[in-house]
Amino acid sequence: SLYDEPRSKILSFIKWCNTYIESQTFNDGTNISINRQKVSLFGFSEGATLAVELATTRQFQGVVTASYGFTGPLPKMAIERLQGIPIWAFHSKGDDIYDVQCSDRLVESLLSYEGGLDVFAVGDIIKYTKLIPPTKDKMESGREHVRAALVASRNAEVF
């Protein structure tokens, strides 16, 4: 897991990504620069799980997850590292790939941490949009799993 010490693998991966991006140039020859105050993560499905892991490095300003798929409890160290990082989870109750309980556990673990959040500021740090399937009819497999990402990516507040 990327949560475990030593964290050299995950930190060297982030450094490599930043170095690679900053070594690229636009068509006019100018270098690309990264404004660290505006870099957040957006992850869908397994990518949501990875986005949460990457957020524990505290190198990013926030995280949006869609159909988060980690099925176990977050390690206490990960929860500690995520304190104060804005996280917005999107998940559908009709998700047939990753049960909505995966996001429920993520949000609950962040909210119940004993060193936890200021209850008056919790809405600024943790948001959870739980989608209700539009119909009870049988839907094609994976539809609600993908819908969470579509709703999140179209939300003007996310950007």
Side-chain angles (χ1 to χ4, degrees), residues 1-12 14 49-50 52-57 70 73-82:
S1 169
L2 298 176
Y3 297 126
D4 299 329
E5 296 295 345
R7 296 172 49 81
S8 57
K9 286 182 185 178
I10 192 170
L11 294 172
S12 64
I14 292 169
T49 304
L50 182 57
V52 170
E53 290 188 33
L54 287 169
T56 66
T57 66
F70 187 63
L74 279 177
K76 185 176 179 179
M77 185 174 287
I79 296 168
E80 290 171 0
R81 290 177 177 148
L82 291 168

Side-chain angles (χ1 to χ4, degrees), residues 3-146:
Y3 297 126
D4 299 329
E5 296 295 345
R7 296 172 49 81
S8 57
K9 286 182 185 178
I10 192 170
L11 294 172
S12 64
F13 171 74
I14 292 169
K15 183 178 179 181
W16 173 84
C17 286
N18 290 338
T19 302
Y20 175 78
I21 291 168
E22 290 174 340
S23 72
Q24 304 304 301
T25 58
F26 291 107
N27 290 339
D28 66 3
T30 58
N31 287 337
I32 295 173
S33 64
I34 300 171
N35 181 342
R36 302 266 179 241
Q37 301 304 310
K38 294 186 176 185
V39 179
S40 294
L41 299 166
F42 184 104
F44 164 63
S45 194
E46 285 298 317
T49 304
L50 182 57
V52 170
E53 290 188 33
L54 287 169
T56 66
T57 66
R58 305 193 67 79
Q59 301 288 311
F60 303 94
Q61 298 303 308
V63 181
V64 175
T65 67
S67 303
Y68 177 77
F70 187 63
T71 57
L74 279 177
K76 185 176 179 179
M77 185 174 287
I79 296 168
E80 290 171 0
R81 290 177 177 148
L82 291 168
Q83 292 303 298
I85 296 175
I87 296 177
W88 192 348
F90 289 80
H91 211 127
S92 174
K93 289 178 107 176
D95 191 332
D96 61 343
I97 308 295
Y98 289 123
D99 194 286
V100 71
Q101 289 179 359
C102 294
S103 289
D104 291 347
R105 272 190 296 277
L106 170 66
V107 170
E108 179 58 33
S109 65
L110 294 169
L111 293 176
S112 64
Y113 173 68
E114 67 268 8
L117 302 165
D118 175 352
V119 294
F120 298 106
V122 73
D124 297 332
I125 303 296
I126 307 295
K127 291 185 178 186
Y128 189 12
T129 301
K130 195 179 290 190
L131 306 171
I132 308 298
T135 178
K136 297 218 184 253
D137 296 335
K138 179 75 174 149
M139 291 179 278
E140 59 190 288
S141 179
R143 180 181 184 275
E144 286 299 296
H145 185 68
V146 172

